[in-house]
Amino acid sequence: MKQRILLGVRGMDNDPAAELVTETLLGVPGVLTVEAGRDGQAMVEYDATELTVMDLIRALRRQGFLAGMA
């Protein structure tokens, strides 16, 4: 089942950080698309049968970002 969520990501305020967030989230099994920008928000489309929002947040935390539901 496809779901979309908007995540707020603290520290994602430049292009390299947005690229790292995108790469990190796309590396999580079950993530379908990611739209991340320098505005600190990432729109993620994922398969809710494979992962939860907390899985996405944990993946970002491992890269040093603070994230939560926007």
Side-chain angles (χ1 to χ4, degrees), residues 3-62:
Q3 295 283 331
R4 284 177 66 98
I5 186 162
L6 183 63
L7 294 176
V9 184
R10 186 171 293 166
M12 188 176 64
D13 54 5
N14 56 51
D15 290 336
E19 290 172 18
L20 179 57
V21 166
T22 300
E23 291 172 13
T24 298
L25 291 173
L26 286 174
V28 176
V31 171
L32 306 171
T33 64
V34 177
E35 296 172 24
R38 298 179 348 174
D39 62 355
Q41 295 187 334
M43 179 65 70
V44 184
E45 186 176 41
Y46 65 98
D47 184 340
T49 64
E50 292 189 44
L51 58 102
T52 66
V53 173
M54 279 309 300
D55 294 322
L56 301 173
I57 291 171
R58 281 189 206 102
L60 291 173
R61 285 183 181 164
R62 283 192 293 273

